[in-house]
Amino acid sequence: MRPDSHEIFGRRRSRNIGLGLVLGAFVLLVFAVTMVKLSEGQSMQGFDHTLRPSLLPPAEE
Amino acid sequence: MSDTDWTLAARAHEPAFGDYIELLKPRVMRLVVFTAFVGMVCAPVAVHPVIGLASILCIAVGAGAAGALNMWQDWDIDAVMRRTAARPIPSGRVERGEALAIGLTLAAFAVVMLALFANPFAAGLLAFTIFFYAVVYSIWLKRATPQNIVIGGAAGAFPPMIGWAVATGGIAPESVLMFLLIFVWTPPHFWALALFRNDDYRRAGVPMLPVTAGDRVTRNHILAYSLVLAPIAIAPAFTAIGGPVYLAGAVVLDALLLVGAARLWRRDPDSASRDRFLAEKRFFGLSIVYLFLLFALLLAEAALGAAGLTPAGWPVLV
């Protein structure tokens, strides 16, 4: 019996593969959502401790 | 410690990926995903499919997190009940602390991601739902009162409201009706289960209604809640999410539910034990089909509406 063929290694491998697939799917999901939000024209900027005129509401006439 | 001891110790704490998935209660998650999806699709605001998929995944993960926290809290009850003894914690495949860590992490993760993917209101509702199930129901009510399932049922009733909030960012009479539908459906559904799992609950010390008030009172309650549930199931037909197809289906399903509830009401422990709780088990199964089909009918109405097949003169009261 090979040392790495024990049942424990099988379970550990299933955990590693499962977690890898979940993380990969999450990266794809965030990428897809980002593309959708950008293509819909949503603002991707946020407050970062300085005044950013592009985030101010448009001035009334 | 010998090599054999190390091997045995490692085997006890070496969960497979499927054990962690089981911790998230995938069967409960299916109903949550379905009802949240229906809530989102029925809403008057269209959601981009990618945003919708991402939001439903967040709701599913949030529900799973609540399930893990419930298993962390209820490990002692689960261990003595036949229905739950094979769950990951009582069977020794996952440690209790792991379930807590996974539950808390996934809960925070799901709420934050839903706020980013959809909107803060939907995320707030999801956070409240997880809190309600894990703390109000699991920690506080379940072991304290026979009304546990009545109040705790709210946790399972929120997903369609969250789905609706993903689309609209708010609450509407239609989403409240979907909430009420699951909220009033939950007690008779679980009391039917408790009737034929009474020994389990008694052994575990969970104060379900058959344990504290007896068989007769439970059957009365099942009938009374079914009578309240029937008109609530009809009500969505006369809102913007309903229509004639939903109404026809809801009337048939209500009739089946009420006949089943009346049959349970006429029985007693002797007649139930003679046929091994056959009618109670059938009512439990019927209640699952009942809720699933009601939401499927709402989905059908949404599809008909999208195809422009809604009748023009249909009365919409709300």
Side-chain angles (χ1 to χ4, degrees):
Chain A
M1 187 168 142
R2 281 158 45 117
D4 62 349
S5 65
H6 194 281
E7 181 208 1
I8 289 170
F9 293 104
R11 282 193 249 171
R12 199 171 289 169
R13 193 177 302 118
S14 87
R15 237 170 37 215
N16 293 340
I17 291 171
L19 189 60
L21 289 174
V22 167
L23 290 175
F26 177 66
V27 169
L28 285 177
L29 189 69
V30 171
F31 177 72
V33 169
T34 307
M35 295 307 289
V36 168
K37 292 211 170 205
L38 281 173
S39 64
E40 285 182 346
Q42 290 189 19
S43 173
M44 289 289 116
Q45 297 183 58
F47 177 75
D48 64 357
H49 305 284
T50 57
L51 179 67
R52 305 181 71 179
S54 58
L55 291 180
L56 293 174
E60 288 178 20
E61 291 295 321
Chain B
M1 205 180 221
S2 71
D3 283 356
T4 313
D5 292 338
W6 276 113
T7 306
L8 289 173
R11 183 177 292 179
H13 303 298
E14 200 67 57
F17 188 68
D19 296 327
Y20 291 130
I21 296 292
E22 216 180 306
L23 207 57
L24 308 183
K25 296 193 177 180
R27 287 176 65 185
V28 176
M29 211 190 261
R30 273 191 306 214
L31 187 66
V32 167
V33 165
F34 180 61
T35 55
F37 175 73
V38 173
M40 193 173 73
V41 171
C42 289
V45 183
V47 180
H48 191 286
V50 172
I51 303 291
L53 173 70
S55 302
I56 292 290
L57 283 173
C58 287
I59 297 169
V61 171
L69 293 172
N70 170 268
M71 286 203 199
W72 163 76
Q73 164 67 15
D74 281 351
W75 69 279
D76 52 340
I77 294 175
D78 287 348
V80 293
M81 288 180 63
R82 265 176 299 163
R83 188 171 68 91
T84 53
R87 281 179 175 176
I89 298 175
S91 64
R93 284 173 288 145
V94 174
E95 286 185 41
R96 223 181 139 219
E98 278 184 294
L100 178 64
I102 288 171
L104 290 176
T105 307
L106 288 184
F109 187 76
V111 169
V112 170
M113 293 317 294
L114 187 62
L116 294 171
F117 288 158
N119 57 67
F121 185 80
L125 263 182
L126 179 64
F128 182 71
T129 305
I130 297 169
F131 169 80
F132 201 89
Y133 185 66
V135 178
V136 177
Y137 171 69
S138 299
I139 295 179
W140 176 38
L141 292 173
K142 185 169 178 177
R143 296 165 194 248
T145 165
Q147 297 299 312
N148 49 15
I149 211 67
V150 177
I151 308 164
F158 276 115
M161 279 184 91
I162 303 172
W164 184 282
V166 164
T168 66
I171 295 174
E174 291 90 344
S175 71
V176 174
L177 273 177
M178 286 190 276
F179 169 89
L180 277 178
L181 191 57
I182 305 179
F183 182 66
V184 181
W185 165 87
T186 305
H189 168 74
F190 277 104
W191 284 331
L193 173 77
L195 279 175
F196 61 85
R197 295 283 188 188
N198 194 15
D199 291 345
D200 253 6
Y201 284 112
R202 192 184 300 276
R203 206 171 334 121
V206 180
M208 291 296 278
L209 201 58
V211 177
T212 59
D215 188 276
R216 183 72 263 152
V217 173
T218 306
R219 288 172 194 278
N220 294 346
H221 273 66
I222 289 175
L223 181 62
Y225 271 78
S226 299
L227 287 168
V228 175
L229 176 59
I232 291 174
I234 299 289
F238 302 104
T239 65
I241 61 173
V245 173
Y246 177 85
L247 180 63
V251 167
V252 173
L253 288 168
D254 269 353
L256 291 172
L257 181 89
L258 291 174
V259 167
R263 188 176 296 142
L264 290 201
W265 183 72
R266 281 198 301 268
R267 284 157 66 90
D268 55 31
D270 289 339
S271 56
S273 60
R274 265 201 297 278
D275 63 3
R276 295 181 181 177
F277 293 91
L278 188 63
E280 288 74 10
K281 286 173 183 169
R282 278 192 182 151
F283 184 82
F284 179 72
L286 170 72
S287 66
I288 295 171
V289 174
Y290 173 88
L291 191 70
F292 173 78
L293 286 182
L294 282 178
F295 275 85
L297 286 165
L298 289 176
L299 203 56
E301 285 289 356
L304 290 171
L309 296 173
T310 310
W314 188 257
V316 175
L317 305 178
V318 181

